[in-house]
Amino acid sequence: MKLTALSAFSDNYIWLLHDDHRALVVDPGDSAPVLTWLQQHPGVQLDTILVTHHHADHTGGLPDLVEQTAAQVVGPALENMPVTAQGLQQGDTLDWHGLRLHVHDVPGHTLGHIAFWGHPEGQAPLLFCGDTLFSGGCGRLFEGTPAQMLDSLDRLAALPGDTRVCCAHEYTLSNLAFALAVEPDNSALRNHAQTCTRLRQHNRATLPVALSTERAINPFLRSRTPSVSAAVRQHDASACDDITTFAALRAWKNTF
Ligand SMILES: [Zn+2]
Ligand SMILES: [Zn+2]
């Protein structure tokens, strides 16, 4: 299985997975980058589209792609899609040419947001997490509560450490600037920020990123770590338990 990140809009990635014959894409907010790639790879047929949540920058390309390729669409059972879609939720699986994808409910950014995790044979696992987990950050809470998002992130963080995290946006550098404000003495975070700065200087993606790296550098996966929770309490004295600490961390990022 080969993994590619197609750029869309200013900072979206449409993840594309293929085996030289069949392809799937994740969250095609725009059909154009996908159709261009398919034209450049005439032996590959798009047969499946995965969708993590209902926002237009993740679903805008669906009508055009379905019309042009007749690909099946698989999305969150609890959210409306602009095309006919198979709705999946926690515990459901989808088999795609030998790859079994497991569906996780990850409410917070939106209420019905789902993520897909799968383990291609002989390769590191893959996580398509949409706008729930970003490198160094997490999605804004548009619909869900801090408690829901913390629980969603806890469950993603419990996946195998070698999982390649495929986020839907290139937000890494601004997330890492905030992460460094929270944890200035985290050496893994400082090293990762240097690596990502170099990648972006060469216009390269900072993703996918290993989940084990995220556990070491992402403050939203580390809100119970003493260095993070102490920094949050210093910023907002009302943070007193896991959920209020996470909520205060997310609110701090919103104004950073
Ligand atoms: Zn979104
Ligand atoms: Zn988005």
Side-chain angles (χ1 to χ4, degrees):
M1 295 280 179
K2 295 169 187 166
L3 180 70
T4 306
L6 305 178
S7 291
F9 310 120
S10 59
D11 53 32
N12 284 67
Y13 290 126
I14 301 169
W15 292 95
L16 184 148
L17 191 64
H18 73 97
D19 65 1
D20 292 323
H21 303 286
R22 278 80 46 113
L24 70 71
V25 292
V26 186
D27 287 351
D30 184 6
S31 62
V34 180
L35 293 171
T36 299
W37 188 94
L38 290 169
Q39 276 162 13
Q40 291 164 348
H41 300 78
V44 184
Q45 187 196 348
L46 179 72
D47 66 2
T48 299
I49 302 171
L50 309 181
V51 183
T52 62
H53 67 294
H54 67 83
H55 286 161
D57 64 311
H58 299 248
T59 59
L62 288 173
D64 195 25
L65 285 178
V66 168
E67 189 184 311
Q68 304 225 21
T69 68
Q72 66 165 339
V73 180
V74 176
L78 300 178
E79 296 190 355
N80 290 327
M81 293 286 114
V83 296
T84 303
Q86 183 190 353
L88 298 182
Q89 54 192 320
Q90 181 70 39
D92 287 340
T93 58
L94 173 74
D95 289 320
W96 187 74
H97 308 302
L99 174 63
R100 172 156 291 191
L101 292 163
H102 299 261
V103 175
H104 295 267
D105 285 345
V106 285
H109 178 69
T110 65
L111 280 175
H113 200 305
I114 59 173
F116 301 87
W117 182 89
H119 195 170
E121 204 179 326
Q123 299 182 351
L126 289 164
L127 174 66
F128 298 114
C129 51
D131 288 355
T132 296
L133 174 61
F134 295 122
S135 185
C138 73
R140 282 179 185 264
L141 300 178
F142 286 123
E143 297 176 14
T145 64
Q148 284 176 314
M149 188 57 135
L150 179 60
D151 181 60
S152 296
L153 292 174
D154 281 344
R155 284 181 294 108
L156 294 182
L159 292 166
D162 60 342
T163 296
R164 291 172 283 169
V165 181
C166 301
C167 320
H169 290 271
E170 179 63 66
Y171 288 160
T172 309
L173 290 189
S174 62
N175 285 338
L176 293 181
F178 174 69
L180 282 165
V182 177
E183 269 193 299
D185 298 326
N186 180 334
S187 58
L189 170 59
R190 283 153 62 156
N191 290 338
H192 190 63
Q194 279 181 1
T195 302
C196 291
T197 299
R198 274 196 298 274
L199 286 169
R200 295 308 295 153
Q201 279 167 352
H202 295 95
N203 204 26
R204 289 171 58 193
T206 61
L207 304 166
V209 59
L211 186 59
S212 56
T213 300
E214 286 306 305
R215 287 186 203 133
I217 62 111
N218 188 328
F220 294 92
L221 300 186
R222 299 168 56 76
S223 58
R224 299 179 188 87
T225 306
S227 53
V228 174
S229 58
V232 172
R233 273 199 307 278
Q234 209 162 41
H235 184 80
D236 181 345
S238 72
C240 60
D241 59 15
D242 286 357
I243 291 167
T244 54
T245 299
F246 181 82
L249 180 66
R250 183 59 256 187
W252 182 7
K253 173 69 166 66
N254 290 347
T255 59
F256 183 72

